[in-house]
Amino acid sequence: MTVPMRRVLLRPFRVVWRRLTSMRTALILLFLLAVAAVPGSILPQRPLNADKTNAYIAQHGTWGRLLDHLGLYDVFGSVWFAAIYLLLAVSLVGCLIPRIRLHARASVRKPLPAPRNLDRLPESGTFETAATPEQYATAARAALGRRWRVVQRAEPGGAITLSAEKGYSRETGNLLFHVALLAGLVLIAIGQLYKYEGNRIVVQGPDQGFCNTVSQYDTWTPGRLAAEGKVTPAPFCIDALTSFVANYTAGGEPTEFTAKVRYRPTLGAPARDATIRVNEPLRLEGDRVYLISHGFAPRVTVTMPDGTVQHDVQAFVPSDASTLLSEGAFKEQGRPGANQDVGIAGLFAPTPQDTGNGVITSVSPQVNDPVLAIIVYVGNLNFNGLPQSVYSLDTSKMTEVGRANMTVGQTKSFGDGVKVTFGGWVPWVSLQVSHDPTQGWLLVAVVAMVAGLVASLGIRRRRLWLRVRDDLGSGGPTVVEVGGLARSDTGNFSTEFAGLLRRLQDAAGTVRHDAVVGGVPAGKE
Amino acid sequence: MAGIDGSMAHLSDSLFTTAIAVYAVAMVGYTAEYAFGRKGRIARTVPVAARERELVGAGAGPVIAPAAPPSGPPAAPPRRPLAERIGRWSLGITVVGLLLHATSIVVRATAVDAVPWSNMYEFASVAGLVGVLAFVVLLWKAPAIRHLGGFILLPVILLMFLAGTVWYSRATPLVPALQSYWLAIHVTLVSIAEGALMTSAVMTMLYLVKYRYDRRPEGAGRLAVLAARLPSAATLDKAAYRVVAFAFPLYTVAIIAGAIWAEAAWGRYWGWDPKETWAFIVWVIYAGYLHARATAGWKGRMAAWVNLTGFTAIIFNFIVVNVVISGLHSYAGLS
Ligand code: HEM
């Protein structure tokens, strides 16, 4: 009746909050997280492989589209996946705040006074000593050492008690782990917003380099804020691929890929040389440059129908990753409107093999008398039409004038006065530039997580009480009662306690056979 | 990088096969001890409180410590019962198997001139080794569970058999993407953690058997034969927990090492590649296990099922993700 209105209104929220921050909810959310991740590994994922995803949807009709609406092709970017981990994060915060407060209080509080009956504790023991209670208490504190926090109290009856506790850092470690986990999640989120990734193919030779600006990349995948232009890419340039080496075993297994590049860390800086290998990116201020893949760029000289001569080098894309059989195209523009453009569709086989009828394939990624197979077209290349792929030709307004398989140095003539020379090849590499401003901090957070975890799982909380009394003032020997309690991970506490008891006995130089040692004291039943 | 030393690779294969055979002999021995040994009778006659005290490796987890040698009670009679002698022999045989097994791995390392765990065969071999090692170390702390050796060796033998037949690959040099010291760190940690988690899963399965038996001894039927000779349910539960408490931080570090390596090799520390996704799933499930043990109503049997779910996810990650779902981690060429 007298409950304030505010309390009444807030009650449902309190109930929800208490639910949300309970251990049980955390547990259920953890399982939801695990289950939610499963489709992300089984269905094709758009961010990883868009082509495969689209093919899958096309193949599965209505079902495929339904899964698309549910976000199952981008699980880790989906609303419901985010909902689970955000709830978990909220639950974690709600669970951590009171625990941190409690732990801070417990850390400064003195260990609790000894309970009346130590032999009711899970482990207990008794022994006698010739020392006085004061002497023994001092010796026992020394024997326990610094790992135990000990408080000495005097009881009204004249007995001295020691309350000892250890393992506070277990909870400290646990809290550190969870806080660092939370920090890690936040850092990942920030990194996702500010990161970017650019890809660019660089053919060996001059004038093929690029600078770190959006327009010079073949593909560019920014985080949300980077996409809005809130991130200014570092002003470095990769000026040239100076060399690329690929080594293979006799069986065609790669053993080494090494690219040498010339670069400028900033626009005005002098050029430097660097080596990039598969596990060794070029690390610049804020950005990293990776060697992602490589291929061949054949070089041709083309005599056009009007008699002019054009030189061209084009990167071909591997259509087979293991043999590096590669496809590509040369597009040579003639006089505008003359319908005398020359288009060449090509296939480059590093180690060629004739499969019959002059059809060439490659049997190894190593270069060994390579062959360039070409089909030559003359006509209109449609340069004014839609943007085209550099790797394929639009032959709708062209006529074939011939085909040939050429080895390095060969020249062949085709119809309309077209002549093609296969001058050789140079390598190209695909470089990826990555930027993620938080990954260094994330590493700090995960190291803290591990440290917290090790403390949390490795350290045990134990309580120990000693009551030392000189036997009813009768002048008899001093009696020491010891009781112990495992507050976490009981493990092998009986053995542990027996060891402690022995140590405490030895501390006073007690005669051993007087002692009653044991985990299950007699008369406990 | 140098080529492959064929005769060394061959020697490694022979040692591997011999190790399987030796483990099989030890397994038979443990099973004999289990079936005819004294442990069973003790388990059936001594009250729970006392049995509780033959706690398994709970002391300090599988850490090598100068403890008493794995022998029987100090006041043992001069002539041990036959079953116990068989058990001791089996342990000796297991150690011989371990040595052969370890040598096989070292020889393969010399043959390829790199850490030998870049494919399923090699990984399975290392994980099996760790599984057996975890058991032997656990025995050091708690000789009382020796008769359970067969339960550990059976999955190891199965794993090694599959490794040697279905997943076998010839020794080859490492492709460039694997030429990193992070391979050694990452894969070593993963196989140690997963080998240990296998031991934990076995303990948990035995726990569940024992738990059911304790609840309804009369209705246990055939299970009774198995369950009566097991250590107490609490002991098995704690042993399973201790091993997870040891393996989980290792698994965490292994994932972090993998992320650091991925950052250097693929340009991002995490990309939800199927292998990475399943590592995440496994990690979350074991985190769930640790929470379950601290939650009223989830302790005990529920937590045990979570542990087994975690291990199932490990197996899925190892077999299905490697063989069926391909990703960056199944390595063919550069891209
Ligand atoms: C992001 C999700 C979380 C993960 C990955 C996680 C992970 C872990 C891990 C690995 C442990 C084991 C350490 C130990 O046993 O001492 C642990 C323990 C613990 N966690 Fe979490 N945790 C998460 C969220 C939460 C939440 C939301 C709560 C609060 C409801 C919570 C409360 C606890 C508590 C109380 C323990 C100690 C259990 C014990 O005494 O053994 N955790 N957590």
Side-chain angles (χ1 to χ4, degrees), chain A residues 326-357:
Chain A
S326 309
E327 283 178 81
F330 298 95
K331 301 173 185 184
E332 316 303 336
Q333 199 164 6
R335 243 179 312 119
N339 251 1
Q340 287 188 337
D341 299 338
V342 173
I344 303 172
L347 201 60
F348 180 86
T351 303
Q353 191 177 56
D354 199 326
T355 58
N357 310 328

Side-chain angles (χ1 to χ4, degrees), chain A residues 23-24 27 30 37 41 48 76 253-255 257 278-279 283 288 290 292 294 434 436 439 442 460 489-492, chain B residues 55 58-59 175-177 179 238 241-242 252 261 263-265 267 269 271-272 277-278 284 288 291 295-296 298 334:
Chain A
M23 196 74 166
R24 190 167 305 237
L27 201 51
L30 274 175
S41 75
L48 289 183
F76 305 107
E253 287 279 326
T255 55
F257 299 116
V278 175
N279 273 301
R283 292 187 187 273
R288 295 106 60 199
Y290 294 89
I292 294 297
H294 71 112
S434 303
D436 180 344
Q439 69 172 25
L442 183 60
R460 287 137 182 212
D489 183 14
T490 50
N492 214 347
Chain B
L55 288 184
V175 297
Q179 292 167 15
K238 275 182 201 154
Y241 167 73
R242 281 315 307 168
T252 310
W261 182 20
E263 193 272 344
Y269 57 82
W272 295 112
T277 304
W278 276 91
V284 168
H291 280 107
T295 309
W298 281 77
L334 175 58

Side-chain angles (χ1 to χ4, degrees), chain A residues 183-206:
Chain A
L185 289 178
V186 172
L187 286 169
I188 290 172
I190 296 176
Q192 290 295 320
L193 292 176
Y194 284 93
K195 74 170 191 181
Y196 61 76
E197 232 174 64
N199 274 83
R200 166 74 191 230
I201 283 184
V202 181
V203 176
Q204 181 179 314

Side-chain angles (χ1 to χ4, degrees), chain A residues 291-303:
Chain A
L291 172 62
I292 294 297
S293 61
H294 71 112
F296 304 102
R299 210 170 56 228
V300 293
T301 305
V302 181
T303 307

